[in-house]
Amino acid sequence: MQIICISSGAYSGGQDLARRLAEKLGYGCLSRDELIEAATREGIRVGKLEMAMVKPGIFSERLALERDIYLAFSTAYLCERAKEGGLVYHGRTGHLLLSGVSHVLRVRVLADEEYRIRAVMQKLGLVRQKAQKYIQEVDEDRRRWVHSMYGVSWDDAANYDMVINLARLSLENAATVLMNMAQLPDFQMTPASMRAMDNLRLAAGTRMAIAKDERTHEASVKVRADNGLVTVTYLPQDAGFADFIPAVCKNLPGLKEIRATMAMTNLLWIEEEFQPGSEVWDHVLEIATKWNAAVELMRLAPEGGETVEEGQAIVGSARNTAIPGLREYNGGIEDDVPENEAADNGGLKETRDELARIGKSGGGRVVYGGQDQLINAIDRTIPYTLVVIGEVFKSKDHSTRLRATRDLSSFLSDRIKAPVVTSDELGSQFLFGKRDIPKVATLVIVVFAIYLLVFTNQEFVLAFLSQAGWYAEAVKDTILSIVDWGPKIIVSLSVFIFAPIVAYCYGTVVRAIMKLIKME
């Protein structure tokens, strides 16, 4: 069941090397073209997915779902083929699908540019200049694909166990080198690596079962498997699918128990005009990444553009909100469906698609109106971790806008069991920025000075607190000595004032440090 994954550029000789190596080892040989063909037969729109990965600006939430399904299918397919015996796979980055499986030998094949140009000219009938351009464009597309799909660099040598340059090594000798390397103990299957692959196969099989069933095929879920225990995590807005998941997966081979759990963190971002790349975007994304949270967008648009019935919100959802189980199952083959144009207003679609690209999308909606319409549109069964109010009421003047934003924040705080902050408060409360540096530095000095004075003058401080020594002498024959509790008043007032100041300084410093190390 050993697996050797060969990654190569176009016409670099990787395919020929894979076939020769498979012959020498007696292993099966699988190409990416065969895998793509199998995925296409399953109804996965690989062509559209590939275009979305290499062409910026056309990614969508639906394609993010398609990406998850494609990755699950590819993982399951590789694992199943590997079960039949040793396997040599040649493509782009098959080894990245098998993370944690130690008996995978990861190989990158390079070739001299001149060799590649001649190969393209001969096989595609192109002139030299066009052949060179063709190679450059294909390589660039593959780099984008790898980065978009896995978030790593295709050219990073750290992702491979061996890099072979066929410009200085014959195909036969390269195959011999790899064959010998594959015999090393480092790449032999162990009980632990076998278990890791079984877990990957079960998790991928579960994801595919959910994708294939008409009741759950639109659910956005993350699946993990560990020795037969499968955990399916879904977003709050997909809670309607949860009840179907155990029934959908119950007959999977190797499944002992399945748990469907809702993701515990979900951020709600309310804005009138969304702008990916803005400061608020950066802050929200940083927090979502640290908390591993999905971000749900809610555009609060002014009234007037559409007819609004009194007390009723007009809500446009970015996702298909049809009831699960009633959607017509099409085997994964979907026609192009025009996006809801209303959802494009205010940068909602662009922002949602960008979140989908990085796996943080919790959906999006448009609400026309004010506070009442907004609270009616918010699903309060969702356990939001944080609600962020960006710039809203932009048609109003500055002072009115600030007052309306504060009123909205207070209104939501009274009705939602989650912290509600404005975009201005977001950075100061949850993120460490440059403006925190002088404040924290000052407070560090204050705290240090206080502790230094206290611990170097302990007798002085203890005498004051116990109303003895120098303090008793100081208050003697003064108005404070008229009654017994007179000196105690000064001590009590001093502690009452001093302790909160120290606590504030110390707490602020500790909070800033926690934000700095991202443990707020």
Side-chain angles (χ1 to χ4, degrees):
M1 292 178 60
Q2 188 178 46
I3 305 174
I4 302 173
C5 290
I6 296 178
S7 173
S8 63
Y11 298 95
S12 296
Q15 182 174 349
D16 295 334
L17 176 60
R19 289 173 177 168
R20 184 69 189 112
L21 178 61
E23 288 177 7
K24 280 178 168 288
L25 291 169
Y27 289 176
C29 187
L30 174 67
S31 70
R32 183 173 186 273
D33 291 341
E34 294 174 65
L35 190 149
I36 295 301
E37 185 178 344
T40 304
R41 286 198 300 270
E42 286 290 320
I44 299 173
R45 302 182 304 169
V46 183
K48 279 212 164 189
L49 187 60
E50 183 129 9
M51 287 295 293
M53 289 293 147
V54 302
K55 303 294 183 186
I58 62 173
F59 203 75
S60 68
E61 197 169 3
R62 293 177 62 214
L63 283 171
L65 189 63
E66 201 90 22
R67 177 183 59 186
D68 289 346
I69 297 171
Y70 168 77
L71 290 174
F73 174 83
S74 300
T75 302
Y77 196 82
L78 277 178
C79 290
E80 290 298 328
R81 286 293 300 267
K83 277 183 64 177
E84 300 170 0
L87 178 68
V88 179
Y89 172 77
H90 61 90
R92 297 177 182 176
T93 49
H95 58 282
L96 295 178
L97 294 166
L98 305 171
S99 60
V101 181
S102 61
H103 62 273
V104 176
L105 175 57
R106 307 168 302 171
V107 182
R108 174 69 188 273
V109 175
L110 306 176
D112 181 72
E113 184 180 10
E114 187 61 31
Y115 168 85
R116 299 177 66 188
I117 291 174
R118 285 201 303 270
V120 173
M121 292 172 65
Q122 179 181 0
K123 295 184 179 180
L124 300 184
L126 300 177
V127 298
R128 179 181 180 80
Q129 188 177 8
K130 288 188 176 181
Q132 188 175 20
K133 183 181 178 183
Y134 172 83
I135 291 172
Q136 291 171 350
E137 291 177 346
V138 171
D139 283 354
E140 185 58 29
D141 284 349
R142 293 186 180 187
R143 288 187 184 92
R144 289 175 179 170
W145 167 273
V146 175
H147 187 268
S148 298
M149 292 292 282
Y150 306 102
V152 301
S153 170
W154 185 41
D155 298 318
D156 188 352
N159 293 321
Y160 307 95
D161 300 307
M162 174 173 275
V163 178
I164 290 182
N165 188 348
L166 291 180
R168 300 178 59 84
L169 197 64
S170 70
L171 198 69
E172 184 64 26
N173 288 341
T176 302
V177 168
L178 289 178
M179 184 180 68
N180 292 329
M181 189 171 179
Q183 309 307 317
L184 294 175
D186 308 77
F187 303 107
Q188 301 307 308
M189 189 172 63
T190 65
S193 68
M194 180 66 183
R195 188 164 55 250
M197 198 165 79
D198 286 343
N199 288 336
L200 282 178
R201 186 172 69 247
L202 179 56
T206 303
R207 183 66 188 89
M208 286 304 301
I210 293 171
K212 287 180 177 179
D213 193 279
E214 62 179 354
R215 295 166 293 181
T216 56
H217 73 285
E218 284 197 356
S220 177
V221 298
K222 301 296 180 186
V223 183
R224 294 181 62 86
D226 184 18
N227 293 327
L229 171 62
V230 173
T231 303
V232 181
T233 306
Y234 55 87
L235 296 173
Q237 62 267 29
D238 287 336
F241 299 113
D243 292 341
F244 301 111
I245 291 175
V248 168
C249 304
K250 64 180 181 181
N251 294 323
L252 286 173
L255 176 67
K256 298 176 183 175
E257 182 181 354
I258 186 163
R259 297 174 182 171
T261 60
M262 185 186 295
M264 293 306 295
T265 55
N266 208 44
L267 306 185
L268 176 62
W269 180 11
I270 302 168
E271 188 80 60
E272 186 171 330
E273 301 286 340
F274 290 99
Q275 293 182 348
S278 64
E279 185 179 10
V280 184
W281 158 268
D282 291 339
H283 288 171
V284 170
L285 189 60
E286 183 176 348
I287 290 176
T289 302
K290 285 193 296 185
W291 295 357
N292 193 25
V295 180
E296 180 180 342
L297 307 177
M298 189 162 287
R299 181 184 177 228
L300 181 60
E303 297 179 76
E306 306 235 355
T307 303
V308 180
E309 296 180 20
E310 185 177 357
Q312 180 180 5
I314 296 177
V315 179
S317 174
R319 301 190 63 175
N320 187 350
T321 55
I323 301 172
L326 297 183
R327 298 175 180 132
E328 184 180 355
Y329 179 54
N330 54 19
I333 301 175
E334 301 181 31
D335 296 328
D336 288 339
V337 178
E339 297 285 348
N340 184 359
E341 294 300 329
D344 289 346
N345 294 337
L348 178 66
K349 179 182 180 302
E350 182 184 2
T351 306
R352 189 196 67 232
D353 291 348
E354 189 62 27
L355 287 170
R357 177 189 292 278
I358 56 182
K360 297 294 180 187
S361 175
R365 290 184 173 191
V366 181
V367 179
Y368 295 93
Q371 294 180 353
D372 293 337
Q373 287 76 24
L374 183 65
I375 196 65
N376 287 335
I378 294 175
D379 184 354
R380 278 172 277 182
T381 63
I382 295 177
Y384 293 112
T385 306
L386 182 67
V387 178
V388 180
I389 303 175
E391 287 196 41
V392 290
F393 311 116
K394 298 180 73 173
S395 60
K396 303 181 184 299
D397 60 71
H398 181 69
S399 58
T400 306
R401 187 167 67 244
L402 288 179
R403 186 172 62 253
T405 302
R406 283 197 300 270
D407 290 345
L408 177 61
S409 177
S410 176
F411 178 81
L412 293 179
S413 296
D414 292 340
R415 291 162 178 78
I416 298 177
K417 295 178 181 179
V420 180
V421 297
T422 64
S423 56
D424 294 333
E425 298 168 334
L426 181 64
S428 61
Q429 292 194 22
F430 296 98
L431 300 171
F432 188 87
K434 291 181 180 178
R435 59 185 175 184
D436 291 321
I437 295 176
K439 179 181 178 182
V440 172
T442 303
L443 292 178
V444 166
I445 293 172
V446 171
V447 171
F448 180 77
I450 290 173
Y451 276 91
L452 182 65
L453 289 172
V454 169
F455 285 104
T456 55
N457 298 278
Q458 294 185 40
E459 291 184 3
F460 182 88
V461 174
L462 290 174
F464 175 71
L465 293 175
S466 61
Q467 300 124 52
W470 70 269
Y471 181 68
E473 290 295 327
V475 299
K476 186 178 180 182
D477 300 328
T478 66
I479 193 172
L480 294 174
S481 63
I482 296 175
V483 293
D484 291 341
W485 44 268
K488 296 179 181 177
I489 293 177
I490 301 299
V491 174
S492 299
L493 285 174
S494 300
V495 172
F496 180 77
I497 296 172
F498 187 72
I501 293 175
V502 174
Y504 170 77
C505 296
Y506 186 78
T508 304
V509 170
V510 171
R511 185 179 180 185
I513 293 173
M514 298 298 282
K515 286 197 296 182
L516 182 62
I517 62 177
K518 301 181 179 180
M519 290 185 65
E520 73 282 2

